[in-house]
Amino acid sequence: MAKVRLNVAERRQELLRAAAVQIGARGVTAVRIADVAAELGVSNALVLYHFPTKEQLVAAAFAHAAEEDLARLRTLLGRRTTAVRRLRAAVRWYTPAGRADGWRLWIEGWAAGPREPALREVAGALDRAWKEELAAVIGQGVTAGEFPCPDPVAAAWRLTAFLDGLAVQMTSYPGALPRTTMVTWADAALARELGLAALPRNGAAGTATRAGTPDT
């Protein structure tokens, strides 16, 4: 019995990954059950067995992909180091060049959300979770005396709004700005929100060792 449940779970994961790929490539409106089935070489009936409607499949695929990103964010923010270093690593990973596939999916989710209640609910909950994670670490930094940010929640909202807007621009118009410019802007935005003149340069904060990957 356990083996059957595992097989079902594995198949669902496979379908969700394929759906996320197809949503990113075709968009929420255009993607079809047949596209997801073709991605895996399975029948439409198999997809519908696990997800009876396209709307359920799209919402579940978005949640699956976004939760993987959220788990990565939590890993970065959960490191045993200063709040500034954790936040800088997270912000640099968050920038568009770090997760282009993820950004395409989020942009699709934002665009389709007003017309797709299930997707809007999932996206909204995950978006709030991102902000809460950032706000918690900013609060930790304030408590530790690292920086004087007066309102961690507002700072998290403004910071994510800036990075989301930058991501829309860079994902829609790839190559419009060099990676170094985006990193500079992201660092400057983080410093402003934390109430710092600039981020520390003496090793207290992480650096990007390759596009989209903070140092470990």
Side-chain angles (χ1 to χ4, degrees):
M1 192 68 174
K3 182 176 177 57
V4 172
R5 286 196 297 269
L6 179 62
N7 287 339
V8 169
E10 289 176 342
R11 175 62 77 180
R12 285 177 63 89
Q13 295 295 305
E14 186 179 46
L15 290 169
L16 293 174
R17 287 192 294 269
V21 169
Q22 289 297 314
I23 292 167
R26 301 172 185 272
V28 171
T29 302
V31 73
R32 304 170 301 161
I33 292 292
D35 297 322
V36 177
E39 173 81 10
L40 295 174
V42 300
S43 68
N44 291 2
L46 179 61
V47 180
L48 291 169
Y49 173 80
H50 292 275
F51 302 98
T53 68
K54 170 187 161 180
E55 290 72 23
Q56 290 177 8
L57 175 61
V58 166
F62 181 90
H64 174 73
E67 284 167 358
E68 286 187 339
D69 278 347
L70 182 59
R72 174 60 173 156
L73 177 73
R74 286 170 172 156
T75 297
L76 291 171
L77 294 178
R79 291 173 169 178
R80 298 182 64 180
T81 185
T82 65
V84 169
R85 188 185 181 104
R86 286 180 282 155
L87 289 164
R88 190 178 191 185
V91 165
R92 289 194 168 196
W93 172 72
Y94 197 105
T95 52
R99 46 196 287 269
D101 290 340
W103 278 120
R104 283 193 292 272
L105 198 64
W106 270 103
I107 291 169
E108 282 295 327
W110 291 330
R115 301 182 302 277
E116 302 281 351
L119 181 58
R120 180 172 65 247
E121 182 177 351
V122 168
L126 288 163
D127 182 71
R128 289 191 296 274
W130 277 79
K131 293 178 172 67
E132 289 167 2
E133 294 291 336
L134 289 171
V137 176
I138 294 172
Q140 292 168 16
V142 172
T143 300
E146 292 184 44
F147 42 77
C149 177
D151 190 338
V153 172
W157 274 73
R158 286 190 298 267
L159 183 60
T160 53
F162 170 78
L163 294 172
D164 288 347
L166 183 60
V168 171
Q169 290 288 314
M170 297 308 299
T171 305
S172 300
Y173 313 109
L177 286 173
R179 168 73 180 171
T180 52
T181 299
M182 288 191 291
V183 169
T184 298
W185 288 2
D187 282 354
L190 177 59
R192 285 195 303 271
E193 293 301 340
L194 299 184
L196 299 172
L199 296 182
R201 295 183 179 277
N202 60 355
T207 57
T209 56
R210 62 179 186 273
T213 305
D215 63 332
T216 56

